[in-house]
Amino acid sequence: MDERLHKLLARHGIGSLRQVEGWIRAGRVTVNGRPAELGQRVGPRDRVEVDGRDVSKRLAAQSSLRVILCHKPGGEMTRGREGDDRSTVETRLPSLRGGRWLPVNALGFGEEGLLVLSNDGSLAGAIARRAG
């Protein structure tokens, strides 16, 4: 089954939708040796490279759905930013091989509470839209 390239790359944790779209525009993504185009559909037999690195096997692997709940203290950030040395929830989470944790609900720097994270961007987005 064919899927749009940028959604496939984002779903497998290679980058966010916006990042991947930027990479495609910049010519950093190729499909079967040719520069990728925005909105391009790819299938299981296509060879996809990002910055010259073949990611086809990673895209073919089925990732299992994971959801995690954790307590976020008020003085902790959800995600770290380069150059920012504040502590983050991200450092306490179990590592995901071939993916990343995506927050379902948003808690700001000063907010404390239950943080829900998933490795499935579609699920996280659907829940966030439902709650909002």
Side-chain angles (χ1 to χ4, degrees):
M1 180 159 125
D2 290 356
E3 187 174 355
R4 286 186 301 181
L5 176 61
H6 65 288
K7 286 185 76 174
L8 185 65
L9 290 170
R11 186 167 50 87
H12 284 274
I14 294 171
S16 71
L17 279 173
R18 304 260 187 294
Q19 283 176 322
V20 173
E21 287 172 358
W23 297 343
I24 292 170
R25 282 188 190 100
R28 295 173 54 188
V29 180
T30 61
V31 177
N32 300 323
R34 293 191 174 123
E37 298 175 11
L38 280 177
Q40 181 173 352
R41 292 188 158 301
V42 293
R45 291 196 172 111
D46 290 315
R47 180 182 170 152
V48 179
E49 293 183 1
V50 177
D51 292 332
R53 192 182 87 225
D54 188 358
V55 295
S56 303
K57 286 183 183 176
R58 187 168 166 185
L59 298 178
Q62 292 287 51
S63 59
S64 58
L65 171 65
R66 298 191 59 196
V67 176
I68 192 168
L69 307 174
C70 77
H71 176 263
K72 181 194 159 307
E76 206 168 70
M77 295 186 58
T78 302
R79 274 222 146 77
R81 290 193 176 96
E82 199 169 317
D84 194 344
D85 59 352
R86 291 183 281 188
S87 64
T88 65
V89 171
E90 201 171 44
T91 58
R92 295 186 289 118
L93 299 175
S95 65
L96 276 177
R97 189 181 160 133
R100 61 190 179 127
W101 290 112
L102 303 164
V104 173
N105 59 326
L107 291 175
F109 176 68
E111 297 176 307
E112 176 179 338
L114 180 67
L115 186 61
V116 181
L117 301 114
S118 173
N119 67 333
D120 185 320
S122 298
L123 174 68
I127 293 171
R129 283 189 298 276
R130 259 312 191 191

